[in-house]
Amino acid sequence: DKGLGEVFSEPVPGYGMHPDDQRLQPLFQKCAELKIPVSIHVADPIWMYGPMDSTNDGLMNAYKWRLDKTKPGFRGRDEMIKTLENVVRSNPNTTFIACHLASSENDFAVLGRLLSTYGNLYTDLSARLAEIAPIPRATRAFLEKYQDKVVYGTDYNPTKLTYETSFRILQTADEHFYATEQYGYHWALHGLNLSDGALKNIYGGNALKILKK
């Protein structure tokens, strides 16, 4: 949900139906009953909401994925994060995985509060490694602190390059390298040099924990 509702729902797009819509409650309750975790995408990175000009430091990717805030009923990024919190709080027996770091990679405090507050909420790294690798110290501190709440993901084709790049970011201490052939940004990336314990949890331990619930 990027602000207009469940656009990709089938067979009819659910414009205006956001995850915290009461009509979706039976679905989440059934997921809890069947112990099926729910991967949920809300919002987009902060750059997609900003002006599409030289003041937007994520313009090289944001211009392609920009959001039309003029459409009727559009919910902004903060509103979508609140939507996520609403549905997680209302379904304490359902396990949720907030995809793409809940689109809060520019402010880890937002996601950190949610992960600390709700035991049924996890997050994944998919399609956000390019956004967090340019800020290695803050990212490493966040992932080490919440290592029991984060699962690995790429959201890219399962190619050798995809995995090599993501492993380099998570595992090494390499500095100032580029992966423009993989990501849509031109920012320099840095290895996070995560601890063995954090890597074990993120790569597989947390996923196993979720699936065993």
Side-chain angles (χ1 to χ4, degrees):
D1 186 348
K2 299 186 178 187
L4 292 173
E6 302 300 317
V7 177
F8 298 107
S9 59
E10 295 290 347
V12 180
Y15 291 105
M17 183 182 288
H18 300 282
D20 60 352
D21 192 298
Q22 288 301 303
R23 290 170 290 180
L24 290 173
Q25 278 297 104
L27 171 64
F28 298 130
Q29 291 169 1
K30 178 58 72 170
C31 288
E33 178 186 329
L34 298 176
K35 300 186 183 300
I36 297 175
V38 177
S39 289
I40 184 168
H41 174 146
V42 299
D44 250 1
I46 193 67
W47 301 276
M48 285 54 171
Y49 298 86
M52 295 299 135
D53 57 28
S54 61
T55 65
N56 189 330
D57 64 356
L59 183 63
M60 63 286 286
N61 210 22
Y63 192 82
K64 177 181 179 181
W65 298 105
R66 63 192 184 280
L67 300 177
D68 187 355
K69 297 177 288 185
T70 66
K71 290 185 176 180
F74 179 83
R75 291 189 181 184
R77 182 170 165 275
D78 291 346
E79 291 177 289
M80 290 311 308
I81 298 302
K82 186 61 177 175
T83 295
L84 170 65
E85 182 169 13
N86 289 343
V87 73
V88 171
R89 183 181 59 245
S90 298
N91 297 274
N93 296 320
T94 306
T95 298
F96 291 91
I97 303 169
C99 301
H100 320 310
L101 293 171
S103 296
S104 298
E105 62 281 353
N106 68 301
D107 187 355
F108 287 132
V110 172
L111 180 56
R113 182 185 68 79
L114 295 176
L115 294 176
S116 296
T117 302
Y118 302 101
N120 59 323
L121 179 64
Y122 294 80
T123 191
D124 75 26
L125 298 173
S126 64
R128 294 297 182 265
L129 289 173
E131 286 85 351
I132 62 177
I135 48 171
R137 290 187 295 275
T139 299
R140 187 179 194 279
F142 176 83
L143 293 180
E144 290 288 346
K145 180 176 181 178
Y146 294 101
Q147 60 177 273
D148 61 339
K149 290 283 213 157
V150 180
V151 295
Y152 175 76
T154 67
D155 208 15
Y156 287 86
N157 291 327
T159 64
K160 184 172 183 283
L161 177 63
T162 292
Y163 291 116
E164 284 182 342
T165 305
S166 62
F167 294 162
R168 185 181 187 186
I169 291 171
L170 295 173
Q171 295 176 215
T172 79
D174 293 352
E175 294 185 321
H176 205 94
F177 60 92
Y178 293 89
T180 53
E181 71 281 12
Q182 181 69 26
Y183 304 125
Y185 297 110
H186 298 165
W187 299 327
L189 309 178
H190 304 270
L192 303 177
N193 195 28
L194 295 177
S195 66
D196 288 345
L199 290 169
K200 183 176 180 180
N201 286 334
I202 292 170
Y203 281 148
N206 294 330
L208 290 174
K209 179 173 63 177
I210 291 169
L211 295 173
K212 288 178 180 179
K213 283 192 173 185

